[in-house]
């Protein structure tokens, strides 16, 4: 059965700017938006910090030609955790590329960018960019979970294309740059040098205080729940990088959350408390 995007032929442009500042003993949020992206309200399940924000995209998915832009700015002493209420979906398209750009500036602040999984439908054309600027001791902990096709219904990523870019700078110095390109049906998706026939790729990056060796050892000891999944964790240039390659987005999320429970206190100095939205 062919499933088209509900707004195929009608392009969405959406911009959301979230400004976090430390005021009167807690992190407060101000937002400016254009289009459907929105945060309903700031949440404080852990006390005055961090401020939790759930970014909503009411159309439910991203169609060809859509352009989404999210900017997070954090002032000195602030701490924000930004997530999404559910999986993001990139619909098949008749040819127009859709794009999403996330820009983060943390000036002496801490930002956790922890969206739920992204499902890219067969024949989608997607461009995803994340750019992080850390200043004055700013810290970042973020992840991305990419699912190729709706595997629960037997769909594979046989057509379309995905382009990705992630950049992290610290006080103007480039500390991480990664570009990726996946094409539907490419032999690389099945190759042992590529995706090995797996449909889920997840990445976690920590740019914060250097975790001690005990924390790193504890992370490396976490085995994935999925048989046959490949995982790895590296530390270099003040970064911690973790990868997951498998077939289950739920198991990938559980593995990332297990790492987060260790790396959040070790790298950000705060005990881990699961956002309520993840349990719904």
């Amino acid at each position: 059965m062919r499933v088209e995007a509900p707004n195929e032929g009608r392009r969405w442009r959406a911009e959301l700017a979230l400004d976090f500042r430390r005021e009167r003993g807690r992190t407060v949020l101000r937002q400016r938006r254009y289009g459907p992206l929105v945060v309903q309200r700031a949440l404080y399940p852990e006390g005055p910090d961090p401020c939790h924000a759930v970014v909503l995209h009411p159309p439910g998915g991203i169609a060809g030609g859509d352009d989404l832009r999210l900017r997070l700015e954090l002032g000195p002493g602030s701490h924000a955790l930004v997530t999404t209420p559910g999986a993001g979906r990139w619909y098949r398209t008749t040819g127009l590329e859709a794009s999403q750009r996330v820009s983060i500036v943390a000036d002496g602040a801490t930002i956790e960018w922890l969206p739920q999984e992204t499902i890219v439908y067969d024949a989608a054309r997607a461009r995803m960019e994340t750019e992080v600027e850390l200043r004055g001791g700013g810290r970042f902990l973020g992840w991305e979970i990419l699912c190729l096709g709706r595997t629960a219904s037997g769909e594979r990523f046989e057509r379309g294309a995905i382009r990705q870019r992630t950049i992290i700078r610290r006080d103007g110095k480039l500390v991480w740059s990664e570009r990726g390109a996946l094409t539907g049906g490419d032999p690389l998706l099945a190759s042992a040098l590529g995706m090995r026939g797996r449909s889920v790729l997840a990445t976690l990056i920590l740019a914060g205080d250097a975790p001690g060796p005990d924390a790193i050892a504890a992370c490396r000891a976490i085995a994935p729940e999925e048989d046959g999944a490949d995982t790895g964790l590296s530390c270099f240039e003040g970064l911690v990088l973790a990868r997951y390659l498998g077939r289950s987005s739920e198991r990938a999320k559980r593995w990332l959350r297990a790492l987060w429970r260790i790396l959040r206190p070790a790298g950000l100095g705060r005990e881990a408390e699961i956002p309520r939205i993840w349990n719904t």
Side-chain angles (χ1 to χ4, degrees), residues 91 129 134 199 250:
Y91 296 126
E129 299 182 356
L134 303 176
S199 57
E250 285 300 319

Side-chain angles (χ1 to χ4, degrees), residues 15-215:
E15 297 182 12
L16 177 63
L18 303 182
D19 187 10
F20 298 91
R21 291 291 182 266
R22 182 81 176 172
E23 294 180 4
R24 299 180 181 178
R26 71 172 186 168
T27 297
V28 298
L29 166 63
R30 295 183 178 87
Q31 59 177 307
R32 304 181 304 280
R33 69 186 183 94
Y34 169 83
L37 281 175
V38 65
V39 170
Q40 288 185 326
R41 64 190 179 99
L43 304 172
Y44 295 91
E46 303 180 57
D49 287 306
C51 175
H52 287 218
V54 181
V55 175
L56 307 176
H57 183 234
I62 302 173
D66 287 356
D67 181 15
L68 275 60
R69 302 194 178 207
L70 174 63
R71 182 171 177 84
L72 313 177
E73 294 192 23
L74 294 93
S78 62
H79 184 168
L81 186 155
V82 182
T83 186
T84 57
R89 291 174 170 81
W90 295 68
Y91 296 126
R92 62 181 298 151
T93 177
T94 56
L96 294 173
E97 183 182 66
S99 63
Q100 174 180 282
R101 179 181 175 85
V102 179
S103 301
I104 298 172
V105 178
D107 187 357
T110 300
I111 176 64
E112 298 174 78
W113 169 236
L114 307 173
Q116 302 207 51
E117 69 268 33
T118 296
I119 303 172
V120 181
Y121 287 28
D122 182 36
R125 297 187 64 227
R127 178 164 53 92
M128 310 170 192
E129 299 182 356
T130 302
E131 189 164 349
V132 181
E133 181 72 38
L134 303 176
R135 303 171 184 165
R139 302 179 296 186
F140 168 79
L141 199 165
W143 68 40
E144 179 180 68
I145 306 163
L146 182 66
C147 308
L148 303 182
R150 294 168 292 170
T151 55
S153 60
E155 181 181 86
R156 302 179 62 183
F157 189 62
E158 297 178 340
R159 294 164 296 163
I162 304 169
R163 293 191 291 162
Q164 295 176 291
R165 183 181 71 138
T166 302
I167 291 176
I168 301 177
R169 296 184 179 87
R170 183 182 285 120
D171 293 322
K173 178 184 176 181
L174 183 66
V175 295
W176 179 253
S177 178
E178 180 175 37
R179 293 177 183 267
L182 296 171
T183 302
D186 192 314
L188 187 65
L189 300 181
S191 169
L193 299 177
M195 292 284 289
R196 303 182 186 180
R198 317 290 172 76
S199 57
V200 176
L201 172 63
T203 300
L204 177 149
I205 300 178
L206 168 67
D209 300 334
D214 291 344

Side-chain angles (χ1 to χ4, degrees), residues 240-252:
V240 176
L241 175 69
R243 304 277 201 192
Y244 186 103
L245 184 62
R247 295 184 174 88
S248 170
S249 62
E250 285 300 319
R251 292 187 173 106

Side-chain angles (χ1 to χ4, degrees), residues 251-268:
R251 292 187 173 106
K253 283 194 290 187
R254 288 200 287 269
W255 186 75
L256 290 178
R257 290 174 189 178
L259 296 183
W260 175 75
R261 289 187 184 98
I262 296 170
L263 294 174
R264 195 191 203 210
L268 304 182

